[in-house]
Amino acid sequence: MDISNFPDAAGAANEVRQMLGGARPGVYVLTFGCQQNEADSERLLGAARSMGFLPVEKPEQASLILINTCAIREHAELKALSVIGQFKHLKSEDPSRIIGVCGCMSAEPARVEQFKSSYPYVSFTLQPGAADQLAQMVLNAMRSGKRFFSVPEQSAKIAEGIEPVRRFRHKAWVSVMYGCNNFCSYCIVPYVRGRERSRSREAILKEVRQLIADGCRDITLLGQNVNSYAGSCDFPTLLRDVASLPGEFLVRFMTSHPKDASPQLLRVMADCPKVAPHLHLPLQSGSDRILREMNRKYTREHYLGIVADFRRAVPHASLTTDLIVGFPGETEEDFEATLQVMRQARFDMIYSFLYSPRRGTPAADRPDQVPDDIKRERMQRLLRLQDELAGSIAAGYLGKTVRVLSDGPSKDGASGLYSGRTGGNKLVHYDGLPDDIGRFIDVEIDRCEPFALYGTAVRTGTDAG
Ligand code: 5AD
Ligand code: SF4
């Protein structure tokens, strides 16, 4: 790729404007997948903005369309491919439009080949997290009209200095590390996101301080496995440092790998009132044999030990998890073991997934794949059990008053209700007021469903926060 004559941000903005005939061009980013991708998209938008692009609401308003893809399961990939296909007519409508595919699918050689050969309206692919290379890609595509596909080496450096365009003012994601070294046998992430790289403690604290100054009240420290953060301090120390900053806010973190969830982490959660009382601790399976074959490096007993320590250290906190149903070789007995751990751990919420074979991962090549109908039947049973458990946990909130950070009008459009999240990340619907958004509101709970609580705001006449 020709990177000579590559201008700075102001130069890039001028050049883009000239090439597009003067007006300020639009950029549209569509995001699939996890919170890490959401955070990456905010950085992609930031990089595009510094080239002069203006974020727009609809793809047809944009001169630059970016699709930030997810490769974790086949379903996510098929959805992205179908949406990219729908952008074909936008390119024919305006051939100067640039369409770029970013994120995890653009780090899979076979997919890159597919974009190159079967999606002629895609101008380039860009590695996950490589927002610093966006300007270069866009300018090269615009200048030459050529297409750029490569699977470059994952860069070890982390590009600082890109000002993200954030979706919300009152809540934000802050990446503390990128990549993963764990190579769970089902997972594609280490292949597409590369090895672990940690941001510096100073850069993270600077970003968090700025967020708090800008009115942010809920900050999530993000990484594939935050517990292996390795800046100039370890993760519990970083978390304590963030939670010690002045201001009214909560700090969350995800994801924690059970093999690295340390007593120090629980200590910080217990000590610091600004650390949200919520631990997301992916179990994946309750069977020791399956855990071993998944290369998870812990046993069910170790996992339950962390849960017991967590319950003691942070009473009334939320515990959530990820579960995979139908990993190769999973027997009825293995699956029962997962249900058993669910009964013991009593998760407030689970994210459950049908195992999806990912090309290039060890588990995908196994001959003992579980048939789809068995996977689905097990999933139904797992969801039924979780419904029961979540229902009984939720019932414990009846009549209690919880503190909620208001997100504004409820997404489901339920008549006039507002919604927000508790420190434990529980969804609460309540009778909101326009000023509530981004504020902490006390809500007395009068109805409990497995997935949401309903209640009435307790207002003191002044700021309820
Ligand atoms: N199939 C199904 N679920 C998967 N996950 C990761 N890889 C796969 C796969 N191949 C799930 C794990 C992980 C979550 C983010 O996605 O549960 O914790
Ligand atoms: Fe995937 Fe395991 Fe890394 Fe999580 S810890 S991203 S499941 S390899």
Side-chain angles (χ1 to χ4, degrees):
M1 183 192 302
D2 175 20
I3 54 162
S4 58
N5 189 24
F6 178 60
D8 58 16
N14 266 335
E15 192 173 336
V16 167
R17 219 166 296 180
Q18 268 172 21
M19 278 191 278
L20 290 172
R24 185 134 189 229
V27 55
Y28 177 80
V29 181
L30 183 64
T31 311
F32 291 92
C34 62
Q35 291 182 332
Q36 186 69 63
N37 257 18
E38 294 282 352
D40 286 350
S41 287
E42 292 184 341
R43 277 164 47 88
L44 285 167
L45 271 176
R49 183 176 57 185
S50 64
M51 298 178 72
F53 287 92
L54 201 65
V56 291
E57 295 288 319
K58 295 188 182 133
E60 47 278 21
Q61 302 164 328
S63 304
L64 173 63
I65 297 176
L66 302 173
I67 303 103
N68 196 5
T69 59
C70 169
I72 200 128
R73 282 170 291 277
E74 189 186 19
H75 181 67
E77 291 205 314
L78 296 179
K79 235 170 43 192
L81 289 174
S82 137
V83 167
I84 296 167
Q86 289 164 25
F87 289 151
K88 179 180 179 182
H89 76 279
L90 291 179
K91 180 75 176 179
S92 0
E93 213 176 85
D94 176 2
S96 73
R97 213 168 235 147
I98 301 287
I99 300 179
V101 177
C102 316
C104 293
M105 286 172 78
S106 52
E108 289 181 281
R111 288 295 180 204
V112 172
E113 209 38 59
Q114 188 180 2
F115 291 126
K116 198 165 154 185
S117 58
S118 311
Y119 292 75
Y121 43 93
V122 169
S123 299
F124 63 82
T125 52
L126 185 70
Q127 298 278 294
D132 57 321
Q133 290 164 32
L134 180 72
Q136 199 175 303
M137 281 294 191
V138 172
L139 280 177
N140 280 324
M142 289 178 83
R143 282 171 181 165
S144 67
K146 291 195 184 127
R147 306 166 67 219
F148 297 92
F149 299 91
S150 60
V151 184
E153 288 289 300
Q154 277 287 341
S155 153
K157 76 170 176 36
I158 295 173
E160 293 291 350
I162 296 175
E163 186 76 29
V165 175
R166 299 198 189 264
R167 224 169 108 199
F168 305 103
R169 181 161 174 262
H170 65 290
K171 55 183 183 185
W173 298 288
V174 174
S175 294
V176 301
M177 57 173 302
Y178 298 91
C180 181
N181 291 353
N182 290 317
F183 290 95
C184 301
S185 64
Y186 50 81
C187 186
I188 200 165
V189 168
Y191 304 91
V192 291
R193 286 195 171 266
R195 296 296 70 73
E196 289 173 357
R197 287 96 68 204
S198 293
R199 286 180 73 194
S200 80
R201 174 181 171 277
E202 292 66 35
I204 295 165
L205 289 174
K206 184 172 164 214
E207 185 172 345
V208 173
R209 268 194 213 100
Q210 188 58 54
L211 282 167
I212 298 166
D214 292 345
C216 189
R217 299 277 173 265
D218 190 304
I219 293 160
T220 306
L221 305 181
L222 274 185
Q224 245 71 43
N225 175 17
V226 289
N227 298 317
S228 54
Y229 174 79
S232 57
C233 61
D234 61 10
F235 185 70
T237 309
L238 178 72
L239 185 61
R240 192 183 287 278
D241 288 350
V242 170
S244 308
L245 293 172
E248 191 194 20
F249 67 95
L250 284 178
V251 54
R252 309 174 181 280
F253 55 96
M254 69 188 308
T255 294
S256 290
H257 194 305
K259 78 177 168 57
D260 305 310
S262 62
Q264 289 85 327
L265 179 74
L266 301 184
R267 190 73 267 141
V268 175
M269 293 188 81
D271 287 351
C272 302
K274 289 183 192 173
V275 176
H278 174 203
L279 180 63
H280 182 64
L281 194 68
L283 167 66
Q284 313 298 1
S285 167
S287 151
D288 282 345
R289 188 178 66 84
I290 296 289
L291 286 173
R292 206 164 41 243
E293 291 175 12
M294 285 177 162
N295 193 29
R296 290 290 289 176
K297 303 193 175 81
Y298 54 85
T299 60
R300 141 209 182 107
E301 194 188 329
H302 178 77
Y303 186 93
L304 286 169
I306 304 172
V307 171
D309 292 346
F310 170 63
R311 299 288 190 209
R312 262 193 304 276
V314 204
H316 314 299
S318 290
L319 180 67
T320 57
T321 202
D322 292 348
L323 294 166
I324 296 179
V325 174
F327 181 81
E330 183 188 75
T331 62
E332 183 57 30
E333 206 184 341
D334 294 319
F335 176 65
E336 276 297 335
T338 300
L339 300 183
Q340 191 51 34
V341 178
M342 285 170 66
R343 289 186 195 98
Q344 289 167 288
R346 292 178 63 82
F347 299 110
D348 291 79
M349 186 159 75
I350 61 165
Y351 299 89
S352 52
F353 309 103
L354 297 175
Y355 169 70
S356 169
R358 305 285 62 214
R359 193 172 11 208
T361 61
D365 296 331
R366 287 178 51 156
D368 51 353
Q369 300 291 324
V370 175
D372 269 359
D373 53 339
I374 296 187
K375 278 189 207 170
R376 286 179 203 289
E377 187 268 336
R378 286 182 187 161
M379 179 63 94
Q380 288 311 316
R381 279 156 62 199
L382 180 138
L383 292 175
R384 266 202 304 276
L385 172 62
Q386 180 57 24
D387 247 25
E388 250 173 61
L389 293 167
S392 92
I393 295 170
Y397 283 87
L398 196 64
K400 299 229 162 82
T401 298
V402 294
R403 207 156 180 250
V404 165
L405 179 62
S406 180
D407 286 324
S410 297
K411 266 211 204 83
D412 60 10
S415 55
L417 287 182
Y418 274 43
S419 64
R421 298 266 170 185
T422 65
N425 213 29
K426 297 234 172 256
L427 178 62
V428 177
H429 296 285
Y430 74 101
D431 55 329
L433 296 174
D435 266 2
D436 286 357
I437 182 160
R439 289 205 169 141
F440 289 106
I441 308 287
D442 288 330
V443 177
E444 190 181 333
I445 301 302
D446 49 37
R447 182 154 70 90
C448 307
E449 304 275 338
F451 302 108
L453 305 173
Y454 292 78
T456 312
V458 183
R459 301 190 188 269
T460 54
T462 57
D463 183 357

